[in-house]
Amino acid sequence: MTTAAEVKTMVQPLLARNQDLAFAGRMLFVRPVTHIARVIELTRNTGRTAFTPFWGCTFLFFPRSSPTVRWTSRLWYDSLGIWNTTHPDHQRALIETVEANALPVLRKMHTIDDFVAFADSGRPFFDRWDTETLRGLVVCAAKGDREGAQNAS
């Protein structure tokens, strides 16, 4: 499993090229971080140097019991198979894949409505943002939608 230090080394060129990114733990955050966290996360995987990159978002205006990013998609690079910190092409491929697939979408997301549209986009494994009553109520309340919050409860 990759260490946080290995992940940090892997993302250094990406941080240097994209001044709006901040790194913490195993996550890159698109700044500014407000009520929506827009992230690229490099999770542990089997094998000493393997990792799996995901990108997505989650809202921060509700108490959370874990730092899990709820709405994520995996980043794929066709010819590489399992991502690996020691493979000579993986750092370059990670930069290209993040900049081409994740950052354009994440950088457009600024409001709760943008988050709702992303969560409702129909991407594989995405729950609709309002599938849980409490979550729907909280999102509507955060948007100032009193009627929607009342209907969600």
Side-chain angles (χ1 to χ4, degrees):
M1 295 192 197
T2 54
T3 66
E6 289 168 327
V7 169
K8 185 175 184 177
T9 299
M10 191 78 172
V11 300
Q12 283 305 314
L14 194 57
L15 289 166
R17 290 168 53 120
N18 297 276
Q19 298 301 309
D20 62 339
L21 296 181
F23 180 73
R26 298 179 157 274
M27 293 184 181
L28 292 163
F29 291 87
V30 179
R31 293 184 289 193
V33 176
T34 57
H35 47 283
I36 305 294
R38 303 164 293 162
V39 304
I40 296 108
E41 181 177 17
L42 282 69
T43 63
R44 292 184 167 132
N45 200 331
T46 59
R48 166 72 185 89
T49 57
F51 67 95
T52 304
F54 291 90
W55 66 280
C57 68
T58 198
F59 53 84
L60 301 174
F61 47 80
F62 186 70
R64 305 172 60 84
S65 59
S66 75
T68 304
V69 178
R70 182 67 187 97
W71 289 270
T72 61
S73 286
R74 185 172 175 178
L75 285 168
W76 299 92
Y77 196 85
D78 294 333
S79 62
L80 298 180
I82 294 175
W83 292 89
N84 190 308
T85 58
T86 60
H87 192 287
D89 292 334
H90 284 206
Q91 188 175 49
R92 175 197 50 77
L94 180 67
I95 293 166
E96 289 175 7
T97 305
V98 166
E99 290 180 342
N101 298 308
L103 290 180
V105 176
L106 295 175
R107 285 178 172 147
K108 291 179 188 174
M109 195 179 320
H110 298 284
T111 67
I112 297 171
D113 287 330
D114 295 339
F115 157 75
V116 167
F118 180 75
D120 284 346
S121 66
R123 294 178 187 276
F125 310 113
F126 273 28
D127 290 340
R128 282 184 45 87
W129 63 273
D130 60 354
T131 54
E132 296 175 12
T133 301
L134 183 57
R135 186 168 59 202
L137 184 143
V138 168
V139 170
C140 287
K143 290 173 41 176
D145 179 4
R146 181 179 175 183
E147 184 177 323
Q150 287 173 331
N151 291 336
S153 57

